[in-house]
Amino acid sequence: MPQQLTIKQIAELSGVSSGTVDRILHNRGRVSPEAEEAVRRVLETHSYKYNLHTSAVAFKKTKKSFDLVISIPSSQKGEYWDLIRAGIERGLLEYGDISIHSHFVFFDQFNSLSCREAFESIATMECSAVILGTTFVDETRSLCLKLDERGIPYVFVDGRIPGTRPVACFLADQKVCGSLLARLIDGLTPSGSHVAVFLPRRVGTQMSNNSAIRLEAFRDYFIAQGKEKSLVEGYFSVEDPEKTEKDICAFLESNPGVRGIASVISTGYMISDALSAAGIRGFHIGGFDVTEGNARCIQEGTLDFLINQHPGRQGFYAVEALLHFLLYGVPDKSMKEFQPVDIVFRENLAYWLDEI
Amino acid sequence: MPQQLTIKQIAELSGVSSGTVDRILHNRGRVSPEAEEAVRRVLETHSYKYNLHTSAVAFKKTKKSFDLVISIPSSQKGEYWDLIRAGIERGLLEYGDISIHSHFVFFDQFNSLSCREAFESIATMECSAVILGTTFVDETRSLCLKLDERGIPYVFVDGRIPGTRPVACFLADQKVCGSLLARLIDGLTPSGSHVAVFLPRRVGTQMSNNSAIRLEAFRDYFIAQGKEKSLVEGYFSVEDPEKTEKDICAFLESNPGVRGIASVISTGYMISDALSAAGIRGFHIGGFDVTEGNARCIQEGTLDFLINQHPGRQGFYAVEALLHFLLYGVPDKSMKEFQPVDIVFRENLAYWLDEI
DNA sequence: CTGTTAGCGCATTCAC
DNA sequence: GTGAATGCGCTAACAG
């Protein structure tokens, strides 16, 4: 058990004061080269592990208070973005001993104008840091440029935007998601049958970047498998259960070879519900994320599996990462951008239920 | 954001001192009913959230030092129990600011006598707490009774023993493990083919309890599926690659319908390696845990999937749970006995590689 | 039984 | 550019 040195001990060993060691360890500047050299030499043979607890305690003294602005899509209770929101709230609660004022600005994930408006209001807002749900690329980039100018740090949840400089981002590797979706639905369906991948039908909206990557990886899997099983694409309305049902029934009628259905978005339960309502059985269905609707269908047995991006954790980590940066001025190196995805069947659903 | 009260603030509000509030909040006794009543009344309208950081800092002052005894099976590097050991070490390191002396006592997981010897030596050992790998039921129970008498707390990793009183235990739900194994291997193999479940062949050892439960759940799955796919059982030597190869080749020759192989223990990679060595292809294989050997085979593509019990996390949590109990005198309510299992394919293997 | 208080390790302030 | 001093909230020891 190697004895952990404290700042004070390092100070003694190197013949400087603890204040100086602190300045060196945290790159706060205003140190002479000699002092730095002396401390570096001690650090070569001894290890310093910064103590989260005492550090947090000491920070409290400053009574710093942060204004966090969080802008993510609005969402029904128990749906994807609502789970992210809940994760963010958990983070705020967990770090409740730091004084944080949070301000949520929601926008419509299917309406770029609504996002633009939200982001424009944020651009001039007085705040310490921002958490952004990355839905619309151009709007996000435009806001980030302004935040960069103002020196306001930001983190992304559920995406990454090229050309921006976030403190951190938390998302699932969408290629992995798409491949797993393909692999699992392939496994569930008999050889020779067809597999359908379903996309949301929506007027005037382009597919989200995440869905596009998933879809590509999904296709790649089937291409790599050769022509053994063919892939067809369908669209379904996510606005109205009756329209969904009509879309899906029509599709399945004109594609009789299909046995497996994969949804690249988190509203797969709507497909299950549509089939149940129409009294159709015998299809295997896979989707994304342990949302309220999906969990119900898994329990009912009308949905076979989910790829879970763990949205709550993404939100939680976003808060953690941002606070770390606000407190220490540097990103938390231990945090990983790509979060693991869980594969969820009925058997192991229970582990994730307490998040919805 | 509801303002969190500190102990001092509660003390002021209820007209007692902070020491008294601390005694009440942590059930340390020696308080008058009146004081308790006054504080309870304040707590009805205000919320107190105990501050992990300051608490941890304050504890350091006491310079309490704990002697932990950890007794788990010995294991090759990168194998199952070695990953648990590594998780325990990570825990000890993470809490390195608390002074902990750890003492490992390894035993042979296939030799109950070795376990008995190890546990008997522990029974009289001077220590603050114990972590036990639950391999042999009778030996463990016998030790726990003695520890109970001496008031020494203990936690289990990888199991649970009826009739004992551990502070916590960390394991995967073995029924879930067995069902998932069955479901996944079923999905990978064509209908009409057979599936083999492989058990370790070992002289004079009964199957471990975990394996037995997995096997039962595995069988149950196929029984519930009807007779569509039949299940056969095979045994393989885990001591010597050549014997393994001979066992498996002999088995597959006499069971030509088999297309899928499931291992109920974490040495599934030996099956993959045996098939590779024999130049046999075309089988789907599933096993347990992201061990070194299994991870390699997943990457090579000779093993299809793993059910990962996350052994490192189990070990880590064991340390956390024990320290929590040692410091606060009560079990950490937030810790769950059943840990989630991960389903691992080649696509998402990367997330777990840094643990081996 | 109760109140008071030292000090855990660190971040910050402020004389020097 | 530097170091001494302060206090974050809590635990435990101790004096009453």
Side-chain angles (χ1 to χ4, degrees):
Chain A
M1 193 88 4
Q3 185 68 27
Q4 299 290 354
L5 289 191
T6 67
I7 286 190
K8 212 178 186 175
Q9 289 171 313
I10 294 176
E12 275 167 25
L13 284 172
S14 47
V16 298
S17 78
S18 62
T20 304
V21 176
D22 177 72
R23 264 163 277 183
I24 291 169
L25 285 176
H26 299 92
N27 298 313
R28 299 191 218 275
R30 298 186 306 160
V31 278
S32 67
E34 299 84 50
E36 176 139 10
E37 175 57 23
V39 172
R40 292 255 173 262
R41 212 192 313 274
V42 172
L43 287 178
E44 274 165 23
T45 49
H46 300 73
S47 80
Y48 170 74
K49 192 178 152 227
Y50 126 104
N51 186 323
L52 176 77
H53 299 309
T54 48
S55 169
V57 171
F59 266 124
K60 282 229 53 176
K61 184 185 167 185
T62 69
K63 290 207 176 57
K64 244 180 224 169
S65 124
F66 299 116
D67 293 306
L68 286 198
V69 170
I70 299 122
S71 193
I72 57 175
S74 57
S75 156
Q76 299 286 315
K77 178 176 174 313
E79 295 278 8
Y80 185 70
W81 281 104
D82 184 56
L83 299 180
I84 291 191
R85 183 203 53 72
I88 292 173
E89 304 262 24
R90 268 197 302 124
L92 295 173
L93 202 65
E94 176 84 13
Y95 291 94
D97 55 346
I98 300 167
S99 170
I100 308 171
H101 302 133
S102 58
H103 178 58
F104 282 84
V105 180
F106 294 103
F107 58 88
D108 178 352
Q109 64 176 309
F110 304 117
N111 181 344
S112 66
L113 197 65
S114 132
C115 175
R116 180 183 303 268
E117 277 174 19
F119 283 8
E120 273 171 5
S121 80
I122 293 172
T124 57
M125 222 173 255
E126 209 54 57
C127 63
S128 336
V130 178
I131 295 177
L132 293 176
T134 55
T135 309
F136 296 99
V137 176
D138 294 339
E139 283 74 5
T140 309
R141 194 180 289 129
S142 155
L143 171 57
C144 290
L145 287 176
K146 292 175 199 158
L147 292 175
D148 282 337
E149 269 174 31
R150 297 176 59 200
I152 295 175
Y154 49 90
V155 305
F156 294 146
V157 281
D158 198 48
R160 194 170 45 166
I161 308 281
T164 59
R165 304 167 52 78
V167 164
C169 35
F170 297 100
L171 65 154
D173 185 333
Q174 300 298 320
K175 282 180 139 175
V176 169
C177 288
S179 309
L180 283 176
L181 182 70
R183 176 195 274 281
L184 290 166
I185 197 74
D186 184 26
L188 285 171
T189 48
S191 75
S193 69
H194 298 181
V195 163
V197 57
F198 267 57
L199 312 168
R201 179 204 301 288
R202 228 184 291 269
V203 200
T205 319
Q206 61 184 26
M207 212 190 323
S208 85
N209 193 37
N210 283 354
S211 306
I213 299 174
R214 285 179 202 167
L215 181 59
E216 197 189 327
F218 190 94
R219 285 200 194 110
D220 285 348
Y221 173 93
F222 280 98
I223 291 167
Q225 292 294 93
K227 282 287 158 213
E228 202 259 324
K229 204 172 273 185
S230 63
L231 182 63
V232 286
E233 283 171 29
Y235 293 85
F236 70 111
S237 160
V238 293
E239 276 132 44
D240 161 16
E242 285 185 22
K243 277 168 90 178
T244 308
E245 187 177 334
K246 216 154 78 182
D247 282 347
I248 289 173
C249 290
F251 176 88
L252 292 179
E253 236 165 76
S254 49
N255 292 276
V258 166
R259 282 292 159 272
I261 300 175
S263 165
V264 294
I265 57 171
S266 66
T267 44
Y269 70 92
M270 293 184 187
I271 301 174
S272 300
D273 284 344
L275 292 184
S276 301
I280 302 175
R281 311 178 110 267
F283 288 88
H284 288 289
I285 310 179
F288 274 92
D289 302 317
V290 181
T291 63
E292 221 170 82
N294 284 338
R296 174 177 51 74
C297 287
I298 291 265
Q299 279 165 326
E300 288 171 359
T302 54
L303 189 58
D304 289 85
F305 69 89
L306 295 167
I307 312 289
N308 185 25
Q309 303 181 87
H310 221 136
R313 180 175 53 194
Q314 287 187 40
F316 188 89
Y317 282 175
V319 174
E320 269 196 331
L322 209 40
L323 286 178
H324 183 102
F325 185 81
L326 288 171
L327 291 175
Y328 303 109
V330 288
D332 181 348
K333 290 258 167 69
S334 74
M335 300 207 115
K336 290 188 188 148
E337 177 173 324
F338 281 144
Q339 297 301 310
V341 291
D342 314 307
I343 299 169
V344 181
F345 289 96
R346 197 210 280 222
E347 285 88 345
N348 59 342
L349 174 66
Y351 301 128
W352 292 278
L353 284 184
D354 50 2
E355 293 218 353
I356 59 177
Chain B
M1 194 82 11
Q3 185 68 28
Q4 300 289 356
L5 288 192
T6 68
I7 285 189
K8 213 176 183 176
Q9 289 171 312
I10 294 175
E12 276 166 25
L13 284 171
S14 47
V16 298
S17 77
S18 64
T20 304
V21 176
D22 178 68
R23 270 173 292 236
I24 291 169
L25 286 175
H26 298 93
N27 298 311
R28 298 192 219 276
R30 298 187 305 161
V31 279
S32 68
E34 298 83 51
E36 177 138 10
E37 175 55 25
V39 171
R40 292 257 172 262
R41 212 193 313 274
V42 172
L43 287 178
E44 272 165 24
T45 49
H46 299 73
S47 81
Y48 171 74
K49 191 179 153 227
Y50 122 100
N51 187 323
L52 175 77
H53 298 309
T54 47
S55 171
V57 170
F59 266 125
K60 281 229 54 176
K61 183 189 164 185
T62 69
K63 292 210 174 58
K64 243 181 225 168
S65 120
F66 299 116
D67 293 306
L68 287 197
V69 170
I70 299 122
S71 192
I72 57 174
S74 57
S75 156
Q76 299 285 316
K77 178 177 174 312
E79 295 279 9
Y80 184 69
W81 281 104
D82 184 55
L83 300 179
I84 291 192
R85 184 202 52 72
I88 292 173
E89 304 263 23
R90 268 196 301 122
L92 295 172
L93 202 66
E94 175 86 12
Y95 292 93
D97 53 347
I98 300 167
S99 170
I100 308 170
H101 301 134
S102 59
H103 178 57
F104 282 83
V105 180
F106 295 102
F107 57 88
D108 178 353
Q109 64 176 308
F110 304 118
N111 181 343
S112 66
L113 197 65
S114 133
C115 176
R116 180 182 302 267
E117 277 173 20
F119 283 8
E120 273 171 5
S121 80
I122 292 171
T124 58
M125 221 174 256
E126 210 54 58
C127 62
S128 337
V130 178
I131 296 178
L132 293 176
T134 55
T135 309
F136 296 99
V137 175
D138 294 338
E139 283 74 6
T140 309
R141 193 180 290 130
S142 155
L143 171 58
C144 292
L145 286 177
K146 292 175 201 158
L147 293 175
D148 283 338
E149 269 173 30
R150 297 177 59 200
I152 295 174
Y154 49 90
V155 306
F156 294 147
V157 281
D158 197 47
R160 194 172 42 166
I161 308 281
T164 59
R165 304 166 53 76
V167 164
C169 36
F170 297 100
L171 65 153
D173 184 333
Q174 299 298 319
K175 281 181 140 175
V176 169
C177 289
S179 309
L180 283 175
L181 183 69
R183 177 194 274 282
L184 290 165
I185 199 74
D186 184 26
L188 285 170
T189 48
S191 74
S193 69
H194 298 181
V195 163
V197 57
F198 268 57
L199 313 167
R201 179 205 301 287
R202 228 185 290 269
V203 201
T205 319
Q206 61 184 26
M207 212 190 322
S208 86
N209 193 37
N210 284 354
S211 307
I213 300 175
R214 285 178 202 168
L215 181 59
E216 197 188 326
F218 190 94
R219 285 200 194 110
D220 285 347
Y221 173 93
F222 280 98
I223 291 168
Q225 293 294 95
K227 284 285 158 211
E228 201 259 325
K229 203 174 274 185
S230 63
L231 182 62
V232 286
E233 283 172 27
Y235 294 85
F236 70 111
S237 160
V238 294
E239 275 132 45
D240 160 16
E242 286 185 20
K243 277 168 90 177
T244 309
E245 187 177 335
K246 217 154 78 181
D247 283 346
I248 289 173
C249 290
F251 176 88
L252 292 179
E253 236 165 74
S254 48
N255 292 277
V258 167
R259 281 291 159 271
I261 300 174
S263 166
V264 294
I265 57 171
S266 66
T267 44
Y269 70 92
M270 293 183 185
I271 301 173
S272 301
D273 285 344
L275 292 183
S276 301
I280 302 176
R281 311 179 110 267
F283 289 88
H284 287 289
I285 309 178
F288 274 92
D289 303 317
V290 181
T291 64
E292 221 171 82
N294 284 338
R296 174 177 50 74
C297 287
I298 291 264
Q299 279 165 327
E300 287 171 1
T302 54
L303 190 58
D304 289 86
F305 70 88
L306 295 167
I307 312 289
N308 184 25
Q309 302 182 87
H310 221 136
R313 179 175 54 193
Q314 285 187 40
F316 188 90
Y317 282 175
V319 174
E320 270 196 330
L322 209 40
L323 286 178
H324 183 102
F325 185 81
L326 287 171
L327 290 176
Y328 302 108
V330 289
D332 182 347
K333 290 258 167 69
S334 74
M335 300 207 115
K336 289 187 190 148
E337 178 173 323
F338 281 145
Q339 297 301 310
V341 291
D342 314 307
I343 299 169
V344 181
F345 289 96
R346 197 210 280 224
E347 285 89 345
N348 60 341
L349 174 66
Y351 302 128
W352 293 278
L353 284 184
D354 50 2
E355 294 218 353
I356 59 176

